[in-house]
Amino acid sequence: MLKAAGIGIGATALATPAGAADAPLVHPGMLHTRADLGRMAAKVRAGARPYTAGFAKLTANRHAQSGWRANPQAVVYRGSGTPENYRILYNDIHAAYQNALRYHVSGEEAHADTAVAILNAWSGKLTGLEGSADRFLAAGLYGYQFANAAELVRGHGDFDLGRAQELMRSVFHPLSDDFLTRHNGAVITNYWPNWDLTAIACVLATGIFCDDRGIVDRAVEYFKHGDGMGSVKHAIPVVHEDGLGEWVEAGRDQGHALLGVGLMGTVCEMAWNQGIDLYGYDDSRFLKGAQYVAKWSLGGDVPYTANTRRKGAIGGWSGSETASGVAGVDPGMTRPIWAMIANHYTKRRGLPASYLTRAAAKAAPEGGGGDYGPNSGGFDQLGFGTLAFTRDRVERAVDGATASPSPGPSGGSPGAGGVRPQASASPVRGGDLAATGSGDAAGWAAAAGIGAVAGGLLLLRRRDRVLRREAGE
Protein backbone atom coordinates (compact mmCIF):
# COMPACT_ATOMS: atom_id res chain seq x y z
CA MET A 1 0.00 0.00 0.00
CA LEU A 2 1.18 3.49 -0.84
CA LYS A 3 0.51 6.74 0.88
CA ALA A 4 0.84 10.14 -0.72
CA ALA A 5 1.76 11.63 2.64
CA GLY A 6 4.60 10.47 4.88
CA ILE A 7 3.96 8.12 7.78
CA GLY A 8 5.00 9.08 11.28
CA ILE A 9 8.51 8.12 12.25
CA GLY A 10 7.78 7.93 15.93
CA ALA A 11 10.58 10.13 17.19
CA THR A 12 10.84 13.62 18.63
CA ALA A 13 13.47 16.04 17.45
CA LEU A 14 16.30 16.23 19.96
CA ALA A 15 17.85 19.34 18.46
CA THR A 16 16.49 22.42 16.78
CA PRO A 17 17.75 24.69 14.01
CA ALA A 18 20.11 27.51 14.77
CA GLY A 19 17.46 30.12 15.56
CA ALA A 20 14.09 31.54 14.69
CA ALA A 21 13.26 31.90 11.01
CA ASP A 22 12.76 35.65 11.36
CA ALA A 23 16.01 36.27 13.24
CA PRO A 24 18.94 38.11 11.66
CA LEU A 25 20.85 35.94 9.24
CA VAL A 26 23.81 34.07 10.73
CA HIS A 27 27.38 34.35 9.39
CA PRO A 28 29.03 32.08 8.60
CA GLY A 29 25.77 30.31 8.01
CA MET A 30 25.63 28.24 4.86
CA LEU A 31 27.11 24.76 4.93
CA HIS A 32 29.30 25.63 7.92
CA THR A 33 28.74 27.68 11.06
CA ARG A 34 31.34 29.07 13.43
CA ALA A 35 30.75 26.13 15.75
CA ASP A 36 31.18 23.68 12.89
CA LEU A 37 34.54 25.19 11.95
CA GLY A 38 35.67 25.17 15.55
CA ARG A 39 34.65 21.53 15.91
CA MET A 40 36.65 20.49 12.84
CA ALA A 41 39.76 22.29 14.04
CA ALA A 42 39.53 20.92 17.57
CA LYS A 43 38.93 17.35 16.44
CA VAL A 44 41.83 17.37 13.99
CA ARG A 45 44.10 18.97 16.58
CA ALA A 46 43.16 16.20 18.99
CA GLY A 47 43.89 13.51 16.40
CA ALA A 48 40.30 12.29 16.49
CA ARG A 49 39.01 9.86 13.92
CA PRO A 50 37.55 10.07 11.33
CA TYR A 51 38.31 13.81 11.21
CA THR A 52 42.02 13.22 10.64
CA ALA A 53 41.28 11.00 7.64
CA GLY A 54 38.88 13.63 6.30
CA PHE A 55 41.45 16.37 6.74
CA ALA A 56 44.09 14.23 5.03
CA LYS A 57 41.76 13.96 2.01
CA LEU A 58 41.53 17.74 1.94
CA THR A 59 45.25 18.45 2.25
CA ALA A 60 46.07 15.86 -0.45
CA ASN A 61 43.76 17.50 -3.01
CA ARG A 62 45.60 19.63 -5.55
CA HIS A 63 42.90 22.30 -5.30
CA ALA A 64 43.62 22.81 -1.60
CA GLN A 65 47.16 24.11 -2.13
CA SER A 66 48.07 27.73 -1.43
CA GLY A 67 49.93 27.94 -4.74
CA TRP A 68 46.68 27.81 -6.77
CA ARG A 69 46.26 30.78 -9.10
CA ALA A 70 42.92 31.92 -10.50
CA ASN A 71 42.15 32.21 -14.20
CA PRO A 72 39.04 34.44 -14.27
CA GLN A 73 36.93 34.80 -17.42
CA ALA A 74 34.61 37.62 -18.43
CA VAL A 75 31.94 35.28 -19.81
CA VAL A 76 31.56 31.60 -18.94
CA TYR A 77 29.92 29.25 -21.42
CA ARG A 78 28.40 25.85 -20.67
CA GLY A 79 26.68 23.60 -23.20
CA SER A 80 27.41 25.79 -26.21
CA GLY A 81 29.37 28.88 -27.12
CA THR A 82 33.06 29.54 -27.61
CA PRO A 83 35.11 28.85 -25.68
CA GLU A 84 33.15 26.37 -23.54
CA ASN A 85 35.17 27.34 -20.50
CA TYR A 86 33.00 26.47 -17.50
CA ARG A 87 35.63 23.97 -16.28
CA ILE A 88 37.90 26.88 -15.43
CA LEU A 89 35.20 28.35 -13.20
CA TYR A 90 34.37 25.22 -11.25
CA ASN A 91 38.03 24.33 -10.70
CA ASP A 92 38.76 27.81 -9.34
CA ILE A 93 35.69 27.81 -7.09
CA HIS A 94 36.63 24.46 -5.58
CA ALA A 95 40.17 25.70 -5.04
CA ALA A 96 38.78 28.74 -3.20
CA TYR A 97 36.49 26.60 -1.05
CA GLN A 98 39.14 24.01 -0.22
CA ASN A 99 41.74 26.61 0.69
CA ALA A 100 39.23 28.48 2.85
CA LEU A 101 38.20 25.28 4.64
CA ARG A 102 41.82 24.26 5.11
CA TYR A 103 42.55 27.63 6.67
CA HIS A 104 39.78 27.26 9.22
CA VAL A 105 41.08 23.85 10.29
CA SER A 106 44.82 24.52 10.24
CA GLY A 107 44.99 28.26 10.85
CA GLU A 108 47.50 28.70 8.04
CA GLU A 109 46.81 32.14 6.64
CA ALA A 110 48.32 31.42 3.24
CA HIS A 111 45.24 29.32 2.46
CA ALA A 112 42.84 32.11 3.44
CA ASP A 113 44.84 34.53 1.29
CA THR A 114 44.65 32.13 -1.67
CA ALA A 115 40.89 31.73 -1.33
CA VAL A 116 40.44 35.50 -1.18
CA ALA A 117 42.63 36.07 -4.23
CA ILE A 118 40.63 33.55 -6.29
CA LEU A 119 37.26 34.96 -5.31
CA ASN A 120 38.33 38.58 -5.80
CA ALA A 121 39.71 37.75 -9.24
CA TRP A 122 36.39 36.28 -10.38
CA SER A 123 34.19 38.97 -8.84
CA GLY A 124 36.32 41.54 -10.60
CA LYS A 125 35.95 40.01 -14.06
CA LEU A 126 32.94 37.70 -14.52
CA THR A 127 29.99 39.46 -16.15
CA GLY A 128 27.81 36.69 -17.54
CA LEU A 129 26.94 33.01 -17.96
CA GLU A 130 25.89 31.87 -21.42
CA GLY A 131 25.39 28.69 -23.42
CA SER A 132 22.63 26.15 -23.89
CA ALA A 133 20.07 25.31 -21.22
CA ASP A 134 23.08 24.12 -19.28
CA ARG A 135 23.74 27.77 -18.41
CA PHE A 136 21.06 27.33 -15.74
CA LEU A 137 23.01 24.42 -14.28
CA ALA A 138 26.14 26.57 -14.29
CA ALA A 139 24.35 29.38 -12.47
CA GLY A 140 22.87 27.07 -9.86
CA LEU A 141 25.84 24.85 -9.15
CA TYR A 142 28.61 27.40 -9.32
CA GLY A 143 26.51 30.10 -7.71
CA TYR A 144 25.83 28.18 -4.51
CA GLN A 145 29.44 26.99 -4.44
CA PHE A 146 30.91 30.47 -4.97
CA ALA A 147 28.75 31.82 -2.15
CA ASN A 148 29.81 29.05 0.23
CA ALA A 149 33.49 29.65 -0.47
CA ALA A 150 33.04 33.40 -0.07
CA GLU A 151 31.09 32.98 3.17
CA LEU A 152 34.14 31.35 4.73
CA VAL A 153 36.34 34.41 4.12
CA ARG A 154 33.78 37.21 4.30
CA GLY A 155 35.61 38.80 7.25
CA HIS A 156 39.07 38.67 5.69
CA GLY A 157 40.58 42.14 5.44
CA ASP A 158 41.41 41.80 1.75
CA PHE A 159 38.16 40.22 0.64
CA ASP A 160 35.90 42.44 -1.48
CA LEU A 161 32.58 41.44 0.07
CA GLY A 162 30.50 44.02 -1.73
CA ARG A 163 31.78 43.01 -5.15
CA ALA A 164 31.20 39.32 -4.40
CA GLN A 165 27.65 40.08 -3.30
CA GLU A 166 27.07 42.02 -6.51
CA LEU A 167 28.33 39.06 -8.54
CA MET A 168 25.84 36.79 -6.84
CA ARG A 169 22.99 39.26 -7.38
CA SER A 170 23.76 40.17 -10.98
CA VAL A 171 25.23 37.01 -12.54
CA PHE A 172 24.30 33.81 -10.68
CA HIS A 173 21.00 34.60 -8.97
CA PRO A 174 19.05 36.06 -11.92
CA LEU A 175 19.40 32.89 -13.99
CA SER A 176 18.47 30.63 -11.09
CA ASP A 177 15.48 32.69 -10.05
CA ASP A 178 14.31 32.92 -13.66
CA PHE A 179 14.56 29.16 -14.04
CA LEU A 180 12.29 28.62 -11.04
CA THR A 181 9.83 31.09 -12.56
CA ARG A 182 9.84 30.13 -16.25
CA HIS A 183 11.76 26.86 -16.54
CA ASN A 184 13.42 28.01 -19.76
CA GLY A 185 10.08 28.17 -21.55
CA ALA A 186 9.42 24.47 -21.03
CA VAL A 187 6.41 22.64 -19.65
CA ILE A 188 6.77 22.36 -15.90
CA THR A 189 7.69 18.67 -15.88
CA ASN A 190 10.27 18.88 -18.67
CA TYR A 191 13.16 19.18 -16.22
CA TRP A 192 13.95 16.49 -13.69
CA PRO A 193 14.36 17.48 -9.98
CA ASN A 194 18.08 18.23 -10.03
CA TRP A 195 17.53 21.25 -12.32
CA ASP A 196 15.22 22.92 -9.82
CA LEU A 197 17.45 21.92 -6.94
CA THR A 198 20.53 23.62 -8.39
CA ALA A 199 18.46 26.79 -8.74
CA ILE A 200 17.00 26.54 -5.23
CA ALA A 201 20.50 26.08 -3.80
CA CYS A 202 21.77 29.18 -5.61
CA VAL A 203 18.79 31.34 -4.63
CA LEU A 204 19.06 30.30 -0.98
CA ALA A 205 22.83 30.86 -0.94
CA THR A 206 22.37 34.29 -2.52
CA GLY A 207 19.84 35.30 0.11
CA ILE A 208 22.10 34.22 2.95
CA PHE A 209 25.31 35.68 1.53
CA CYS A 210 23.65 38.98 0.62
CA ASP A 211 21.63 39.25 3.85
CA ASP A 212 18.35 39.30 1.94
CA ARG A 213 15.59 37.55 3.88
CA GLY A 214 13.15 37.89 0.98
CA ILE A 215 15.40 35.84 -1.30
CA VAL A 216 15.84 33.22 1.43
CA ASP A 217 12.07 32.99 1.80
CA ARG A 218 11.67 32.57 -1.95
CA ALA A 219 13.92 29.47 -1.91
CA VAL A 220 12.21 28.01 1.13
CA GLU A 221 8.75 28.51 -0.34
CA TYR A 222 9.74 26.82 -3.58
CA PHE A 223 11.26 23.87 -1.72
CA LYS A 224 7.95 23.36 0.06
CA HIS A 225 5.37 24.27 -2.57
CA GLY A 226 7.07 24.86 -5.94
CA ASP A 227 5.38 23.63 -9.11
CA GLY A 228 8.53 22.10 -10.59
CA MET A 229 9.86 18.62 -9.99
CA GLY A 230 12.50 19.81 -7.54
CA SER A 231 10.10 20.75 -4.75
CA VAL A 232 10.15 18.11 -2.06
CA LYS A 233 6.72 16.55 -2.74
CA HIS A 234 7.40 16.30 -6.46
CA ALA A 235 10.91 14.92 -6.04
CA ILE A 236 9.56 12.40 -3.51
CA PRO A 237 5.98 11.85 -4.74
CA VAL A 238 5.19 8.65 -2.86
CA VAL A 239 6.00 7.43 0.65
CA HIS A 240 5.65 3.69 1.17
CA GLU A 241 4.41 1.92 4.27
CA ASP A 242 7.96 0.85 5.14
CA GLY A 243 8.90 4.52 5.50
CA LEU A 244 10.93 4.81 2.31
CA GLY A 245 10.15 7.81 0.10
CA GLU A 246 10.32 7.11 -3.62
CA TRP A 247 12.84 9.39 -5.34
CA VAL A 248 11.31 10.09 -8.75
CA GLU A 249 14.66 10.43 -10.49
CA ALA A 250 15.54 6.84 -9.55
CA GLY A 251 13.55 6.04 -12.68
CA ARG A 252 16.11 7.98 -14.71
CA ASP A 253 19.57 6.86 -13.57
CA GLN A 254 21.65 6.48 -10.45
CA GLY A 255 24.01 9.40 -11.05
CA HIS A 256 21.26 12.00 -11.32
CA ALA A 257 19.40 10.56 -8.33
CA LEU A 258 22.57 10.91 -6.23
CA LEU A 259 23.03 14.44 -7.53
CA GLY A 260 19.48 15.36 -6.53
CA VAL A 261 19.80 13.93 -3.03
CA GLY A 262 23.09 15.77 -2.56
CA LEU A 263 21.56 19.05 -3.70
CA MET A 264 18.49 18.66 -1.51
CA GLY A 265 20.75 17.92 1.44
CA THR A 266 22.75 21.06 0.65
CA VAL A 267 19.58 23.15 0.63
CA CYS A 268 18.41 21.61 3.91
CA GLU A 269 21.76 22.16 5.62
CA MET A 270 22.03 25.82 4.57
CA ALA A 271 18.45 26.44 5.71
CA TRP A 272 19.03 24.64 9.02
CA ASN A 273 21.97 26.90 9.80
CA GLN A 274 19.60 29.85 9.37
CA GLY A 275 17.00 28.40 11.74
CA ILE A 276 14.75 26.86 9.07
CA ASP A 277 14.07 23.13 9.37
CA LEU A 278 13.60 21.77 5.86
CA TYR A 279 15.19 18.49 6.94
CA GLY A 280 12.13 17.85 9.10
CA TYR A 281 9.53 19.37 6.77
CA ASP A 282 6.48 17.22 5.98
CA ASP A 283 7.27 14.57 8.57
CA SER A 284 10.94 14.40 7.51
CA ARG A 285 10.04 13.58 3.93
CA PHE A 286 13.61 14.15 2.78
CA LEU A 287 14.88 11.53 5.26
CA LYS A 288 12.58 8.98 3.64
CA GLY A 289 13.71 9.91 0.14
CA ALA A 290 17.39 9.85 1.07
CA GLN A 291 16.98 6.46 2.76
CA TYR A 292 15.33 5.13 -0.41
CA VAL A 293 18.19 6.27 -2.63
CA ALA A 294 20.81 5.02 -0.18
CA LYS A 295 19.23 1.56 -0.01
CA TRP A 296 18.86 1.38 -3.79
CA SER A 297 22.41 2.58 -4.41
CA LEU A 298 23.74 -0.04 -2.02
CA GLY A 299 22.09 -2.69 -4.19
CA GLY A 300 18.85 -3.13 -2.24
CA ASP A 301 15.43 -3.67 -3.76
CA VAL A 302 13.07 -0.70 -3.73
CA PRO A 303 9.60 -0.23 -5.24
CA TYR A 304 8.88 2.33 -7.95
CA THR A 305 5.57 3.72 -9.12
CA ALA A 306 5.42 4.33 -12.87
CA ASN A 307 5.77 8.02 -13.62
CA THR A 308 4.72 9.67 -16.88
CA ARG A 309 5.71 13.28 -17.41
CA ARG A 310 5.19 15.75 -20.21
CA LYS A 311 8.24 17.11 -22.00
CA GLY A 312 8.86 19.94 -24.40
CA ALA A 313 8.41 23.65 -24.87
CA ILE A 314 5.27 25.63 -24.18
CA GLY A 315 3.72 26.21 -27.62
CA GLY A 316 6.44 24.16 -29.30
CA TRP A 317 7.47 20.53 -29.66
CA SER A 318 6.10 18.25 -26.98
CA GLY A 319 5.93 14.64 -25.95
CA SER A 320 5.90 12.43 -22.91
CA GLU A 321 8.14 9.92 -21.22
CA THR A 322 7.33 7.15 -18.77
CA ALA A 323 9.72 5.77 -16.17
CA SER A 324 8.26 2.41 -15.23
CA GLY A 325 10.85 1.14 -12.77
CA VAL A 326 14.09 1.94 -11.02
CA ALA A 327 17.21 2.16 -13.13
CA GLY A 328 20.09 -0.20 -12.68
CA VAL A 329 22.72 0.61 -10.08
CA ASP A 330 26.41 0.20 -9.54
CA PRO A 331 26.94 -0.26 -5.78
CA GLY A 332 30.47 1.11 -6.25
CA MET A 333 29.22 4.47 -7.51
CA THR A 334 29.19 7.27 -5.00
CA ARG A 335 29.22 11.02 -4.48
CA PRO A 336 30.40 12.92 -1.40
CA ILE A 337 26.87 13.53 -0.14
CA TRP A 338 26.12 11.03 2.61
CA ALA A 339 28.02 12.25 5.67
CA MET A 340 26.10 15.52 5.86
CA ILE A 341 22.68 13.89 5.63
CA ALA A 342 23.42 10.88 7.84
CA ASN A 343 24.93 12.99 10.60
CA HIS A 344 22.00 15.37 10.65
CA TYR A 345 19.37 12.69 11.09
CA THR A 346 21.28 10.27 13.33
CA LYS A 347 23.38 12.68 15.41
CA ARG A 348 21.50 15.97 15.54
CA ARG A 349 18.06 14.39 15.54
CA GLY A 350 18.79 10.98 17.04
CA LEU A 351 16.72 9.17 14.40
CA PRO A 352 17.41 5.73 12.93
CA ALA A 353 18.69 5.85 9.35
CA SER A 354 20.49 2.59 8.70
CA TYR A 355 20.83 2.95 4.93
CA LEU A 356 22.21 6.47 5.22
CA THR A 357 24.67 5.29 7.86
CA ARG A 358 25.86 2.45 5.66
CA ALA A 359 26.20 4.69 2.62
CA ALA A 360 28.18 7.25 4.60
CA ALA A 361 30.50 4.60 6.01
CA LYS A 362 31.09 3.16 2.55
CA ALA A 363 31.93 6.57 1.08
CA ALA A 364 34.26 7.64 3.91
CA PRO A 365 36.51 9.49 4.00
CA GLU A 366 34.69 11.77 1.59
CA GLY A 367 36.76 13.90 -0.74
CA GLY A 368 35.77 16.89 -2.83
CA GLY A 369 36.20 18.43 -6.26
CA GLY A 370 39.11 16.78 -8.00
CA ASP A 371 38.75 13.47 -6.15
CA TYR A 372 35.92 12.18 -8.34
CA GLY A 373 37.24 12.66 -11.85
CA PRO A 374 38.09 15.73 -13.92
CA ASN A 375 34.68 16.40 -15.47
CA SER A 376 31.76 18.44 -14.19
CA GLY A 377 29.93 15.67 -12.35
CA GLY A 378 32.86 15.27 -9.99
CA PHE A 379 32.49 18.91 -8.95
CA ASP A 380 28.73 19.10 -8.31
CA GLN A 381 29.22 18.84 -4.53
CA LEU A 382 31.74 20.70 -2.42
CA GLY A 383 32.32 17.50 -0.45
CA PHE A 384 34.65 16.69 2.46
CA GLY A 385 31.70 15.59 4.56
CA THR A 386 33.72 13.25 6.78
CA LEU A 387 35.70 16.23 8.01
CA ALA A 388 32.94 18.82 7.91
CA PHE A 389 29.80 17.02 9.08
CA THR A 390 30.87 14.20 11.38
CA ARG A 391 29.53 15.18 14.77
CA ASP A 392 28.85 13.78 18.22
CA ARG A 393 25.33 12.67 18.95
CA VAL A 394 22.73 15.32 19.76
CA GLU A 395 24.06 18.81 19.74
CA ARG A 396 22.18 21.73 21.18
CA ALA A 397 21.59 25.16 19.70
CA VAL A 398 23.76 27.91 21.19
CA ASP A 399 24.16 31.51 20.04
CA GLY A 400 22.70 30.95 16.60
CA ALA A 401 24.76 27.87 15.78
CA THR A 402 24.91 24.22 16.73
CA ALA A 403 27.42 23.58 19.46
CA SER A 404 29.57 20.47 19.80
CA PRO A 405 30.47 18.64 22.99
CA SER A 406 34.12 18.91 23.94
CA PRO A 407 36.59 17.35 21.53
CA GLY A 408 37.43 13.69 21.79
CA PRO A 409 38.07 10.68 19.61
CA SER A 410 35.12 9.27 17.74
CA GLY A 411 35.03 5.90 16.09
CA GLY A 412 34.71 5.04 12.46
CA SER A 413 36.89 3.32 9.94
CA PRO A 414 37.03 4.86 6.50
CA GLY A 415 35.86 2.62 3.74
CA ALA A 416 36.76 2.57 0.09
CA GLY A 417 34.91 2.12 -3.14
CA GLY A 418 34.97 2.85 -6.80
CA VAL A 419 33.64 6.20 -7.93
CA ARG A 420 31.87 6.86 -11.21
CA PRO A 421 30.17 10.24 -11.60
CA GLN A 422 27.25 10.02 -13.99
CA ALA A 423 25.80 11.99 -16.85
CA SER A 424 24.84 15.63 -16.81
CA ALA A 425 22.06 17.00 -18.97
CA SER A 426 22.99 17.93 -22.50
CA PRO A 427 21.26 19.88 -25.28
CA VAL A 428 18.88 18.08 -27.62
CA ARG A 429 16.09 18.86 -30.05
CA GLY A 430 13.74 21.66 -29.22
CA GLY A 431 16.19 24.50 -29.44
CA ASP A 432 17.46 25.56 -26.04
CA LEU A 433 15.67 22.90 -24.03
CA ALA A 434 17.85 20.26 -22.45
CA ALA A 435 17.73 16.49 -22.56
CA THR A 436 16.03 15.23 -19.44
CA GLY A 437 15.38 11.58 -20.17
CA SER A 438 17.15 8.43 -19.02
CA GLY A 439 18.70 8.08 -22.48
CA ASP A 440 20.93 11.15 -22.12
CA ALA A 441 24.47 10.64 -23.36
CA ALA A 442 26.99 10.40 -20.57
CA GLY A 443 28.87 13.66 -20.11
CA TRP A 444 31.25 12.63 -17.40
CA ALA A 445 34.13 10.21 -17.54
CA ALA A 446 34.65 7.53 -14.94
CA ALA A 447 36.69 8.81 -12.05
CA ALA A 448 40.18 7.61 -11.45
CA GLY A 449 40.81 5.36 -8.48
CA ILE A 450 41.43 7.01 -5.17
CA GLY A 451 44.84 6.36 -3.64
CA ALA A 452 45.26 5.32 -0.07
CA VAL A 453 45.50 8.12 2.47
CA ALA A 454 48.49 7.95 4.72
CA GLY A 455 47.65 7.43 8.36
CA GLY A 456 49.20 8.93 11.43
CA LEU A 457 48.61 12.16 13.27
CA LEU A 458 48.87 15.39 11.34
CA LEU A 459 51.38 17.93 12.55
CA LEU A 460 49.56 21.23 12.49
CA ARG A 461 50.98 24.71 12.73
CA ARG A 462 47.70 25.90 14.12
CA ARG A 463 47.49 26.85 17.78
CA ASP A 464 44.83 29.28 18.86
CA ARG A 465 44.60 31.18 15.54
CA VAL A 466 41.66 29.33 14.00
CA LEU A 467 39.03 31.76 15.20
CA ARG A 468 41.13 34.92 14.88
CA ARG A 469 39.09 36.56 12.19
CA GLU A 470 36.09 36.85 14.46
CA ALA A 471 34.12 39.07 12.15
CA GLY A 472 34.44 36.55 9.35
CA GLU A 473 33.36 33.55 11.37
Side-chain angles (χ1 to χ4, degrees), residues 230-250:
S231 61
V232 67
K233 291 185 181 180
H234 290 137
I236 309 169
V238 176
V239 174
H240 297 269
E241 288 289 350
D242 62 0
L244 294 180
E246 189 171 298
W247 190 267
V248 68
E249 210 154 356

Side-chain angles (χ1 to χ4, degrees), residues 137 189-198 229-230 234-237 245-264 289 292-293 296-297 304-305 307 309 321 323 325-329 335 423-425 435-438 440 444:
L137 295 178
T189 56
N190 183 75
Y191 291 95
W192 287 99
N194 70 83
W195 288 80
D196 271 359
L197 287 165
T198 64
M229 293 185 73
H234 290 137
I236 309 169
E246 189 171 298
W247 190 267
V248 68
E249 210 154 356
R252 181 186 185 187
D253 62 57
Q254 184 183 4
H256 285 98
L258 292 173
L259 168 61
V261 170
L263 288 168
M264 189 170 285
Y292 175 99
V293 174
W296 168 60
S297 292
Y304 190 85
T305 307
N307 176 275
R309 63 191 184 88
E321 180 180 65
V326 292
V329 297
R335 284 173 178 259
S424 177
T436 59
S438 56
D440 295 349
W444 305 331

Side-chain angles (χ1 to χ4, degrees), residues 176-230:
S176 290
D177 187 69
D178 184 72
F179 185 83
L180 295 179
T181 303
R182 282 180 275 274
H183 286 86
N184 196 31
V187 296
I188 197 67
T189 56
N190 183 75
Y191 291 95
W192 287 99
N194 70 83
W195 288 80
D196 271 359
L197 287 165
T198 64
I200 296 170
C202 179
V203 171
L204 179 59
T206 301
I208 296 169
F209 185 61
C210 297
D211 282 299
D212 192 320
R213 174 66 66 176
I215 296 178
V216 170
D217 291 345
R218 158 80 162 136
V220 170
E221 175 64 18
Y222 196 96
F223 177 94
K224 293 179 177 180
H225 305 298
D227 293 331
M229 293 185 73

Side-chain angles (χ1 to χ4, degrees), residues 82-141:
T82 302
E84 197 174 353
N85 55 358
Y86 65 100
R87 294 170 183 82
I88 297 172
L89 175 57
Y90 67 65
N91 274 281
D92 276 1
I93 289 174
H94 281 256
Y97 171 77
Q98 291 180 28
N99 272 279
L101 189 62
R102 185 170 178 177
Y103 158 70
H104 280 286
V105 178
S106 72
E108 296 173 282
E109 292 188 6
H111 295 289
D113 294 341
T114 297
V116 167
I118 295 168
L119 297 166
N120 281 348
W122 278 93
S123 69
K125 189 165 185 177
L126 182 63
T127 59
L129 300 172
E130 297 183 15
S132 69
D134 281 13
R135 68 192 183 278
F136 294 108
L137 295 178
L141 290 168

Side-chain angles (χ1 to χ4, degrees), residues 371 419 447-451:
D371 290 321
V419 180
I450 299 173

Side-chain angles (χ1 to χ4, degrees), residues 316-327:
W317 67 272
S318 63
S320 65
E321 180 180 65
T322 298
S324 57
V326 292

